[in-house]
C-alpha cells in the first residue's frame, strides 16, 4: 500500500443537474505511467481538476491522499507546492515571453527580491536539457511549434520539482513525431522517479507505454488494468460498455431519396490556430436523412460544418459544395441561411445565443426579414412566433421576455434550435445538440429531430456522445484529424468500429 | 340595530375593496418599476438633480431662462451621445468625435466665410465630411481590424491637426450667417404670443402630447387584439397622465421664455429617428445582436463588418452635426473647438445606462445622461461652486451610474 503515491477515494463531484463524478476511486503507484481513458464527458478532466485544486476542496466530496498525507488543495498553487503539476490541453504559456521567462513564471529566481536573470537562464537551460528540447532559452514561446511548447510546459513543471505530472491529452495537437518524442520523454522521466498520469484518446499510446490504465465511464471507475491486461479491445469494451437502452425514440428505417447536399474535396486552413482543420472532406446528405459526424473533440467536425455554413471563421477554403445538385458558394452565414442551410452551434453560450437578450429576440434574430416590412419589425408577430416555439418545443420559461441568462442549459438549447428552425431550413446542421443538458431535455431534442425528419428536413448531426449518434443517425462519417476516415451504414456503425476509425 | 350593523358591514367591505385595489395598484406599479429599473434610474436621477438645484438656488435653476440655456448647453453633446450609444453598444469606442466636430465646424466656417458658399449648401457638404471621417474609422476597425480605441485616438490627433490647417490663414473665424445663427441660439417663430406664451411652442407641445397618447393607445389596442399582456388600465392611464404632464410643463416653461429653440428641434428629430431605428427596425436589432454577441450575430447571418461600418459612419455624421451646432453656439470657428468633447459625449452615454460590456443601451437614455451631466455643471455654477468641485462631482456621478448599471444588470424579471 505504501507504494501508492496518490489515492483518490470516493470522489463525487456534481454540477447543477449532473453528477460528473460518482464515488470515483483512483490509485496511482510510485514511479509509473498511468493512463486515464474514457469517452468525452466521462469525467476524466473533472477528476484531474479535482486533484489539482482547480475545483477547490469543499467543491467535491471524498478524500485525496498524496505522498501519504491527506490533502485539501484549494488552488493550483497549493497542489504545485505539494509536488504535483497539471498540464492542460490549453497551454498556460505567455506567447510573447521568452522560454526561460515562461519556465520560471510565478516562481522567479530572485536575489534580495530582484530577479536573477543569469541564474534563471542557466537553470532554464538545465530544465530544457532534461526534456531534450534543443532551443535557445531566449526564444519567444510563440516562435516554437506546438510540440516544443508542450516540452516547455513540462520543463516548467519539472522546475517546480514535481513528483507527479498530469498531462491532459498532450498529444491531441501533436503530429506523429512529436507525439513519439513526448512518450519517450515520459519513459525517461519515469526512470528519474517522476510519476505521470496521462489522459489520452489514442489507445496505441496506452498499449505502448502504460504501466496501468484506469477506465472511467459516466463518472464511474469501470476498471483499472495492469500492464499485462492492457489490450485495445479490452479498453474499448470498458469505455463504451453501456447498453444502449430505449432512451432514443425510434424512427422507421431510412429509404434513400435524392441527395440534397454534397461536398467535394473540401479543405480548410485555420489561420488562428495555423492548422489544416479540414482535409479533402467528401460527404453527402440525402433528403429526410440524419447523417452523423462522429469523432473526437477537435477532430474537425465543427470546422467541416462551418466550412459548409458560409465560413464564419474565415478559413482558407478550397473544394466545392453542391446544394440540390447545384454548385453553390457561401461566403457568409447569411447566404447559407437564405439557401435554407442552418447551423446550430455546439457552444450555445459563446456563439449560439445572445444571453443578454430575451427569448423572443433570440428566436427571431436570424430571420427578422420575415417579420418586417420595409425594415420595420412587426413586434406583435414576433411575439406570436416566439410563443409558438415556446409551446411547440416546450421551452420552459416564465415568459418570452425573460433574458436567456436566466434559463437552464436545456431550455437555452431549445431556444437555440428554435432560432435555427425559424429560418425555415431544409438542411439543418446540429452541432452537439445535447451537450450539457439533462436526460429529459435530451429526449425532447431526439423526438424533435424525428419530427423534423418526418417533415422532410435533412439533418447533419455532430455529437461526441456515441450512443446517441449511433441511435439517431441513418448513416455516419467518422472524422479524425480533419479527414473523413470512414463512412459507416447504420448496420456497420458500432461503437467499436467508430472508435477504431476515430483513433486512427 | 341590525340595519346599523349591515350598513357598517357594507362600509367595511367597501373600505376593504379600496384597500385591496390600492394594494394591487401599487404592487403592479412596483413590478413595472422593478423590471424597468435600469431605464427609470436616470430619469429618477435627473428629477432628483432638478429638485436639489431648485432648492439650493432658491428656484433660479428652474426658471424658463435657465432651462432654455441648459438645453442649449446640452444640445450638441446630446446629439453626439446618440451616436456614441451605438458605438458602445457594439463594444467599441470613438475618441475622434470631438476633433471631427471641431474640424467639421472649421470647414463649414471656411466654406461660408472664405469661399462664400451659401450655408444651405455648405451644411450638407460638411455633414458628408463628418460621415466620411466616421467611415474611415469604421474601415480601420472593421476591415483592417485594429482596436477602435487606437483607430479613433489616431483620428483625434489627425483631425485636430487638420483644424489648424483649415484655420491657418485666417485664425479664429467669426461668422455672420442667419442660418448658423438660428441653429446656435434662435427659436422657432412664435406666430404670436398668447397670455405671454410662445404660441407655436404651445401648439407643438400639445400636438406632441396628442400624438403620444394616440400612438401609445394604438399600440395597446393592437396588443389587446392579439390577446397579449398589457399594462392594467389604471396603470396605463397613470402613465399617460404622468408623461403628458411632464411634456406639458416643459413646453409651458419654454413657452414662457423664447419658446422651442432650433437646437431642441434638432435634438428631438435626431432622437426620434434613432429611437425608431433602434427599436423598430431590423437594422436596429442587428446592431444590438452584434453588441450582445458578435459570434452569435455572425452565425445568425448578420454581417458584423457592415454593422460596424454603419455605426461608425453614423457616429461621424452626428459628430458633424454636433460640430455645426457647436460652431453655431460660439458663432466662430476656433482652434480648440470640440477639445475634450469626446469625453463628455462618452460620459453621457455611460451615465445614460449604456453598458460597456455591449449589447445594451438606449439612445433616449444617453440623451438624458448628457442632460444629467450638463445639469450638474449648470446647477453647480449657479451655486457658485468652483470647477474643482464640479469635476469631482461629475466624476463621482459617472462612476456611480456605471455601478448602478453593473449591479442591476443581472436582475431577474419578476412576473406581475
Amino acid at each position: 500500500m505504501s507504494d501508492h503515491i496518490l489515492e483518490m477515494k470516493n470522489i463525487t463531484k456534481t454540477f447543477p443537474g449532473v453528477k460528473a463524478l460518482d464515488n470515483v476511486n483512483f490509485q496511482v503507484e510510485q514511479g509509473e505511467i498511468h493512463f486515464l481513458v474514457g469517452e468525452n464527458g466521462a469525467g476524466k478532466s473533472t477528476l484531474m481538476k479535482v486533484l489539482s485544486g482547480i475545483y477547490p476542496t469543499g467543491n467535491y466530496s471524498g478524500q485525496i491522499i498524496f505522498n501519504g498525507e491527506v490533502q485539501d488543495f484549494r488552488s493550483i498553487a497549493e497542489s504545485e507546492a505539494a509536488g504535483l503539476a497539471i498540464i492542460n490541453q490549453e497551454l498556460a504559456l505567455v506567447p510573447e515571453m521568452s522560454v526561460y521567462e515562461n519556465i520560471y513564471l510565478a516562481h522567479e529566481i530572485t536575489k534580495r527580491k530582484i530577479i536573477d536573470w543569469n541564474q534563471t537562464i542557466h537553470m532554464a537551460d538545465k530544465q530544457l536539457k532534461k526534456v531534450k528540447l534543443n532551443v535557445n532559452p531566449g526564444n519567444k514561446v510563440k516562435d516554437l511549434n506546438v510540440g516544443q511548447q508542450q516540452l516547455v510546459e513540462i520543463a516548467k513543471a519539472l522546475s517546480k520539482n514535481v513528483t507527479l505530472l498530469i498531462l491532459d491529452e498532450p498529444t491531441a495537437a501533436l503530429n506523429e513525431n512529436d507525439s513519439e518524442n513526448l512518450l519517450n520523454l515520459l519513459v525517461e522521466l519515469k526512470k528519474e522517479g517522476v510519476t505521470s498520469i496521462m489522459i489520452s484518446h489514442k489507445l496505441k499510446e496506452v498499449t505502448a507505454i502504460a504501466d496501468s490504465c484506469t477506465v472511467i465511464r459516466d463518472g464511474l471507475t469501470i476498471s483499472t488494468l495492469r500492464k499485462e491486461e492492457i489490450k485495445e479491445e479490452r479498453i474499448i469494451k470498458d469505455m463504451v460498455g453501456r447498453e444502449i437502452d430505449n432512451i432514443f425514440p425510434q424512427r422507421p428505417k431510412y429509404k434513400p431519396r435524392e441527395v440534397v447536399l454534397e461536398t467535394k474535396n473540401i479543405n480548410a486552413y485555420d489561420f488562428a490556430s495555423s492548422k489544416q482543420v479540414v482535409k479533402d472532406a467528401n460527404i453527402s446528405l440525402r433528403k429526410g436523412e440524419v447523417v452523423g459526424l462522429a469523432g473526437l473533440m477537435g477532430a474537425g467536425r465543427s470546422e467541416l460544418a462551418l466550412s459548409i455554413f458560409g465560413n464564419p471563421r474565415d478559413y482558407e477554403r478550397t473544394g466545392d459544395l453542391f446544394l440540390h445538385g447545384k454548385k453553390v458558394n457561401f461566403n457568409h452565414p447569411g447566404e447559407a441561411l437564405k439557401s435554407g442551410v442552418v447551423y446550430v452551434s455546439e457552444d450555445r453560450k459563446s456563439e449560439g445565443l445572445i444571453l443578454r437578450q430575451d427569448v423572443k429576440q433570440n428566436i427571431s434574430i436570424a430571420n427578422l426579414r420575415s417579420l418586417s416590412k420595409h425594415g420595420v419589425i412587426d413586434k406583435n408577430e414576433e411575439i406570436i412566433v416566439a410563443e409558438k416555439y415556446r409551446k411547440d418545443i416546450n421551452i420552459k420559461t416564465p415568459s418570452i421576455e425573460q433574458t436567456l441568462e436566466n434559463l437552464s442549459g436545456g431550455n437555452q438549447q431549445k431556444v437555440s434550435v428554435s432560432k435555427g428552425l425559424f429560418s425555415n431550413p431544409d438542411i439543418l446542421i446540429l452541432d452537439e445538440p445535447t451537450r450539457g443538458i439533462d436526460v429529459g431535455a435530451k429526449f425532447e431534442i431526439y423526438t424533435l429531430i424525428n419530427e423534423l425528419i418526418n417533415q422532410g428536413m435533412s439533418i447533419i448531426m455532430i455529437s461526441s456522445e456515441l450512443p446517441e449518434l449511433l441511435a439517431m443517425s441513418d448513416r455516419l462519417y467518422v472524422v479524425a484529424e480533419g479527414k473523413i476516415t470512414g463512412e459507416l451504414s447504420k448496420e456497420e456503425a458500432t461503437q467499436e468500429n467508430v472508435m477504431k476509425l476515430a483513433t486512427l | 340595530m341590525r340595519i346599523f350593523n349591515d350598513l357598517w358591514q357594507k362600509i367595511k367591505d367597501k373600505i376593504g375593496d379600496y384597500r385591496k385595489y390600492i394594494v394591487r395598484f401599487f404592487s403592479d406599479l412596483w413590478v413595472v418599476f422593478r423590471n424597468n429599473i435600469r431605464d427609470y434610474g436616470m430619469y429618477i436621477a435627473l428629477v432628483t438633480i432638478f429638485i436639489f438645484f431648485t432648492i439650493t438656488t432658491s428656484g433660479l435653476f428652474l426658471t424658463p431662462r435657465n432651462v432654455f440655456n441648459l438645453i442649449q448647453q446640452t444640445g450638441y453633446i446630446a446629439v453626439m451621445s446618440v451616436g456614441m450609444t451605438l458605438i458602445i453598444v457594439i463594444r467599441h469606442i470613438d475618441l475622434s468625435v470631438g476633433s471631427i466636430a471641431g474640424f467639421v465646424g472649421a470647414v463649414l466656417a471656411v466654406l461660408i466665410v472664405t469661399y462664400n458658399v451659401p450655408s444651405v449648401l455648405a451644411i450638407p457638404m460638411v455633414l458628408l465630411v463628418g460621415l466620411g471621417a466616421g467611415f474611415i474609422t469604421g474601415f480601420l476597425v472593421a476591415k483592417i481590424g485594429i482596436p477602435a480605441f487606437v483607430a479613433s485616438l489616431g483620428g483625434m490627433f489627425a483631425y485636430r491637426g487638420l483644424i489648424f490647417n483649415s484655420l491657418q490663414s485666417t485664425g479664429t473665424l467669426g461668422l455672420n450667417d442667419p442660418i448658423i445663427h438660428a441653429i446656435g441660439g434662435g427659436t422657432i417663430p412664435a406666430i404670436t404670443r398668447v397670455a405671454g406664451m410662445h404660441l407655436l411652442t404651445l401648439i407643438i407641445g400639445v400636438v406632441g402630447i396628442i400624438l403620444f397618447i394616440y400612438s401609445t393607445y394604438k399600440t395597446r389596442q393592437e396588443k389587446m387584439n392579439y390577446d397579449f399582456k398589457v399594462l392594467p388600465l389604471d396603470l396605463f392611464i397613470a402613465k399617460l397622465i404622468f408623461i403628458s404632464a411632464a411634456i406639458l410643463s416643459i413646453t409651458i416653461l419654454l413657452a414662457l421664455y423664447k419658446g422651442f429653440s432650433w437646437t431642441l428641434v434638432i435634438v428631438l428629430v435626431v432622437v426620434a429617428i434613432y429611437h425608431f431605428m433602434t427599436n423598430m427596425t431590423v437594422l436596429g436589432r442587428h446592431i444590438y445582436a452584434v453588441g450582445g454577441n458578435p459570434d452569435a450575430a455572425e452565425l445568425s447571418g448578420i454581417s458584423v463588418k457592415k454593422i460596424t461600418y454603419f455605426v461608425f459612419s453614423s457616429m461621424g455624421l452626428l459628430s458633424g452635426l454636433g460640430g455645426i451646432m457647436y460652431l453655431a453656439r460660439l458663432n466662430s470657428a476656433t482652434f480648440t473647438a470640440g477639445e475634450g468633447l469626446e469625453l463628455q459625449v462618452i460620459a453621457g452615454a455611460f451615465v445614460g445606462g449604456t453598458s460597456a460590456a455591449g449589447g445594451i443601451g438606449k439612445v433616449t437614455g444617453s440623451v438624458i445622461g448628457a442632460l444629467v451631466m450638463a445639469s450638474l455643471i449648470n446647477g453647480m455654477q449657479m451655486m457658485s461652486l468652483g470647477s474643482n468641485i464640479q469635476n469631482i462631482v461629475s466624476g463621482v456621478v459617472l462612476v456611480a451610474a456605471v455601478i448602478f448599471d453593473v449591479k442591476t444588470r443581472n436582475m431577474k424579471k419578476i412576473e406581475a
Side-chain angles (χ1 to χ4, degrees):
Chain A
M1 283 305 280
S2 59
D3 54 354
H4 283 154
I5 184 172
L6 171 74
E7 264 186 276
M8 297 179 81
K9 285 185 185 165
N10 303 323
I11 304 289
T12 298
K13 161 91 190 152
T14 51
F15 295 108
V18 203
K19 214 174 210 179
L21 296 174
D22 191 358
N23 269 313
V24 168
N25 287 295
F26 181 58
Q27 294 170 340
V28 180
E29 278 175 35
Q30 182 76 50
E32 69 168 352
I33 298 176
H34 195 123
F35 272 72
L36 193 56
V37 299
E39 285 188 291
N40 292 326
K44 300 164 304 212
S45 295
T46 310
L47 185 65
M48 290 303 103
K49 283 179 180 167
V50 165
L51 173 57
S52 56
I54 295 175
Y55 297 134
T57 184
N59 245 303
Y60 57 89
S61 66
Q63 204 178 34
I64 300 175
I65 301 168
F66 179 61
N67 277 336
E69 279 171 45
V70 176
Q71 305 283 359
D72 292 310
F73 300 134
R74 274 166 304 196
S75 67
I76 293 200
E78 288 191 16
S79 65
E80 278 182 352
L84 65 91
I86 185 163
I87 295 171
N88 283 304
Q89 272 167 289
E90 291 83 31
L91 299 179
L93 298 172
V94 185
E96 286 293 338
M97 283 190 185
S98 66
V99 170
Y100 65 83
E101 281 174 295
N102 266 290
I103 291 179
Y104 285 96
L105 189 62
H107 62 126
E108 288 82 1
I109 301 174
T110 56
K111 229 187 234 169
R112 285 183 232 101
K113 303 275 177 200
I114 295 166
I115 298 181
D116 183 345
W117 287 120
N118 289 331
Q119 183 67 10
T120 303
I121 295 169
H122 173 70
M123 293 298 290
D125 216 23
K126 270 187 162 177
Q127 305 297 350
L128 290 177
K129 288 218 170 67
K130 271 197 212 163
V131 299
K132 301 197 166 49
L133 178 59
N134 190 18
V135 298
N136 184 339
N139 284 358
K140 281 188 180 175
V141 162
K142 67 166 184 178
D143 296 329
L144 308 182
N145 68 33
V146 190
Q148 292 172 321
Q149 292 183 0
Q150 196 96 52
L151 295 177
V152 173
E153 273 271 21
I154 294 173
K156 181 178 169 185
L158 295 179
S159 73
K160 295 170 187 165
N161 295 320
V162 300
T163 49
L164 177 62
L165 198 56
I166 304 163
L167 301 117
D168 192 350
E169 292 201 52
T171 58
L174 301 188
N175 64 28
E176 203 83 348
N177 249 336
D178 288 343
S179 301
E180 212 176 302
N181 278 343
L182 186 76
L183 298 183
N184 289 339
L185 175 65
L186 291 184
V187 176
E188 287 289 317
L189 290 174
K190 184 169 83 170
K191 289 179 193 151
E192 288 169 34
V194 177
T195 312
S196 313
I197 300 173
M198 180 153 159
I199 297 178
S200 177
H201 280 298
K202 297 183 181 167
L203 299 184
K204 56 185 179 194
E205 293 175 356
V206 184
T207 48
I209 64 161
D211 294 308
S212 49
C213 168
T214 295
V215 182
I216 293 189
R217 185 207 312 154
D218 293 342
L220 298 163
T221 327
I222 300 302
S223 59
T224 296
L225 309 172
R226 309 294 320 157
K227 191 171 184 66
E228 54 281 6
E229 300 169 285
I230 295 176
K231 297 276 178 323
E232 264 192 50
E233 295 74 31
R234 172 70 199 272
I235 297 173
I236 289 181
K237 186 167 156 272
D238 284 349
M239 271 169 77
V240 300
R242 98 196 97 175
E243 298 296 319
I244 298 178
D245 37 48
N246 282 330
I247 60 164
F248 304 105
Q250 292 296 308
R251 215 173 43 236
K253 186 170 159 45
Y254 179 69
K255 294 190 192 73
R257 294 161 75 180
E258 74 273 19
V259 173
V260 290
L261 179 127
E262 198 172 8
T263 69
K264 288 241 166 82
N265 298 324
I266 292 218
N267 280 284
Y269 181 85
D270 182 18
F271 291 104
S273 64
S274 312
K275 240 175 104 179
Q276 184 78 26
V277 288
V278 181
K279 292 173 198 158
D280 288 325
N282 292 303
I283 64 167
S284 65
L285 174 68
R286 292 168 177 278
K287 191 169 174 61
E289 184 185 33
V290 178
V291 162
L293 289 186
L296 303 168
M297 270 180 217
R301 298 166 301 168
S302 306
E303 288 78 359
L304 173 58
L306 290 172
S307 302
I308 294 170
F309 184 66
N311 196 20
R313 288 188 199 151
D314 289 328
Y315 301 139
E316 191 177 70
R317 276 184 313 173
T318 59
D320 296 325
L321 177 64
F322 295 90
L323 199 65
H324 305 292
K326 265 187 234 132
K327 194 176 158 190
V328 288
N329 190 18
F330 301 141
N331 286 316
H332 191 271
E335 297 172 20
L337 284 165
K338 275 185 201 136
S339 301
V341 179
V342 162
Y343 169 78
V344 177
S345 169
E346 62 179 320
D347 192 339
R348 55 180 172 264
K349 287 201 166 127
S350 82
E351 55 174 38
L353 298 166
I354 301 163
L355 293 180
R356 302 178 89 185
Q357 292 190 353
D358 64 21
V359 174
K360 65 173 160 40
Q361 288 171 326
N362 270 284
I363 291 178
S364 64
I365 188 66
N367 194 12
L368 280 173
R369 310 219 178 264
S370 74
L371 290 175
S372 58
K373 215 186 246 174
H374 310 302
V376 180
I377 301 168
D378 185 337
K379 291 192 173 181
N380 292 324
E381 282 303 321
E382 184 182 30
I383 294 174
I384 290 186
V385 165
E387 287 290 359
K388 176 180 167 294
Y389 281 107
R390 176 189 179 183
K391 210 172 105 246
D392 289 358
I393 309 211
N394 194 19
I395 301 167
K396 291 184 198 82
T397 171
S399 108
I400 54 168
E401 255 120 57
Q402 193 67 259
T403 53
L404 267 273
E405 293 167 313
N406 298 322
L407 260 55
S408 73
N411 285 305
Q412 287 180 349
Q413 186 62 31
K414 288 180 194 169
V415 173
S416 188
V417 173
S418 303
K419 168 187 150 185
L421 294 179
F422 182 51
S423 294
N424 296 316
D426 45 32
I427 294 168
L428 183 63
I429 308 174
L430 295 171
D431 197 349
E432 303 281 3
T434 65
R435 176 184 289 171
I437 66 180
D438 63 63
V439 182
K442 277 183 184 174
F443 185 80
E444 288 178 293
I445 299 272
Y446 302 143
T447 312
L448 179 67
I449 289 175
N450 288 353
E451 273 170 32
L452 296 173
I453 288 295
N454 276 339
Q455 291 164 22
M457 213 179 272
S458 314
I459 295 178
I460 296 178
M461 180 173 178
I462 300 173
S463 173
S464 294
E465 280 191 44
L466 257 185
E468 106 179 351
L469 200 61
L470 295 179
M472 297 306 298
S473 312
D474 298 307
R475 187 162 57 92
L476 59 81
Y477 293 99
V478 184
V479 186
E481 297 187 2
K483 278 188 286 233
I484 306 281
T485 52
E487 180 184 349
L488 300 170
S489 67
K490 184 145 193 119
E491 292 70 36
E492 298 165 322
T494 62
Q495 305 213 11
E496 285 79 3
N497 284 342
V498 172
M499 268 299 172
K500 261 182 208 154
L501 290 167
T503 50
L504 270 183
Chain B
M1 212 48 202
R2 181 126 176 234
I3 296 169
F4 204 71
N5 268 340
D6 281 358
L7 194 66
W8 178 232
Q9 192 57 43
K10 268 187 188 161
I11 293 172
K12 271 208 316 206
D13 287 353
K14 211 71 183 168
I15 292 174
D17 286 350
Y18 281 126
R19 244 185 62 179
K20 262 187 227 153
Y21 175 78
I22 289 170
V23 167
R24 194 213 34 92
F25 180 83
F26 280 100
S27 82
D28 282 356
L29 189 65
W30 167 245
V31 169
V32 171
F33 176 75
R34 189 183 166 288
N35 284 347
N36 295 289
I37 191 156
R38 288 166 65 90
D39 298 339
Y40 296 155
M42 323 49 57
Y43 291 98
I44 294 169
L46 186 67
V47 171
T48 313
I49 289 166
F50 268 54
I51 293 172
F52 177 80
F53 284 128
T54 306
I55 294 169
T56 54
T57 60
S58 0
L60 274 179
F61 183 80
L62 213 56
T63 53
R65 185 190 152 85
N66 192 53
V67 171
F68 182 88
N69 285 339
L70 187 57
I71 290 169
Q72 297 306 103
Q73 286 161 13
T74 317
Y76 60 96
I77 303 174
V79 164
M80 289 163 72
S81 288
V82 167
M84 191 61 77
T85 310
L86 300 188
I87 297 272
I88 298 173
V89 161
I90 65 163
R91 307 183 176 193
H92 289 304
I93 197 79
D94 193 338
L95 298 173
S96 65
V97 297
S99 293
I100 293 178
F103 175 57
V104 165
V107 173
L108 181 59
V110 170
L111 282 177
I112 292 173
V113 178
T114 315
Y115 295 96
N116 289 318
V117 181
S119 46
V120 281
L121 268 178
I123 287 173
M125 280 162 73
V126 296
L127 283 176
L128 283 181
V129 171
L131 184 80
F135 186 85
I136 292 171
T137 320
F139 172 81
L140 292 172
V141 175
K143 185 85 181 176
I144 309 289
I146 61 172
F149 191 99
V150 178
S152 63
L153 187 62
M156 178 176 132
F157 290 126
Y159 295 116
R160 180 65 46 199
L162 285 174
I163 296 174
F164 279 71
N165 270 6
S166 317
L167 301 177
Q168 215 164 25
S169 52
T170 55
T172 298
L173 208 52
L175 284 107
N176 191 14
D177 183 275
I179 292 182
I180 299 295
H181 196 74
I183 294 173
T187 59
I188 56 174
I191 306 174
T192 176
R193 288 186 89 90
V194 176
M197 286 192 285
H198 193 279
L199 182 64
L200 188 58
T201 296
L202 282 182
I203 293 173
I204 291 176
V206 171
V207 169
I209 290 170
I210 293 169
L211 277 179
F212 163 72
I213 292 177
Y214 173 72
S215 73
T216 326
Y217 177 76
K218 207 180 122 212
T219 313
R220 184 183 148 92
Q221 280 314 109
E222 273 173 11
K223 287 207 173 232
M224 282 167 65
N225 287 343
Y226 278 105
D227 258 345
F228 293 160
K229 213 166 64 191
V230 290
L231 274 184
L233 189 64
D234 46 10
L235 266 188
F236 176 73
I237 292 173
K239 177 185 161 190
L240 285 186
I241 293 175
F242 186 78
I243 295 177
S244 303
I247 300 175
L248 190 66
S249 39
I250 292 170
T251 306
I252 291 176
L253 206 61
L254 290 171
L256 282 168
Y257 189 54
K258 294 198 233 165
F260 285 167
S261 63
W262 285 111
T263 300
L264 181 60
V265 172
I266 293 172
V267 172
L268 289 179
V269 169
V270 167
V271 171
I273 293 172
Y274 274 78
H275 181 73
F276 177 80
M277 192 264 283
T278 51
N279 279 297
M280 305 303 291
T281 67
V282 173
L283 176 64
R285 194 64 74 71
H286 282 184
I287 292 171
Y288 284 90
V290 167
N293 186 344
D295 293 326
E298 190 80 20
L299 286 182
S300 304
I302 300 166
S303 167
V304 175
K305 271 183 194 163
K306 278 185 197 160
I307 295 293
T308 309
Y309 270 113
F310 173 81
V311 170
F312 274 97
S313 302
S314 111
M315 179 76 255
L317 181 70
L318 291 176
S319 305
L321 185 58
I324 295 169
M325 293 164 79
Y326 189 93
L327 173 81
R329 219 175 114 65
L330 261 66
N331 222 350
S332 65
T334 63
F335 291 103
T336 56
E339 236 174 23
L341 179 55
E342 59 280 345
L343 300 180
Q344 286 173 285
V345 170
I346 292 168
F350 277 131
V351 171
T354 311
S355 162
I360 291 176
K362 290 189 169 178
V363 293
T364 43
S366 297
V367 170
I368 300 297
L371 189 57
V372 163
M373 295 307 271
S375 307
L376 280 174
I377 302 291
N378 179 297
M380 284 188 285
Q381 279 168 351
M382 296 189 86
M383 287 172 70
S384 314
L385 295 170
S387 62
N388 52 342
I389 305 279
Q390 291 174 27
N391 280 326
I392 292 169
V393 171
S394 300
V396 169
V397 167
L398 171 64
V399 173
V402 177
I403 291 175
F404 178 80
D405 172 66
V406 171
K407 291 292 169 197
T408 54
R409 179 176 305 163
N410 290 330
M411 273 187 3
K412 258 193 179 182
K413 285 201 173 166
I414 49 177
E415 284 296 292

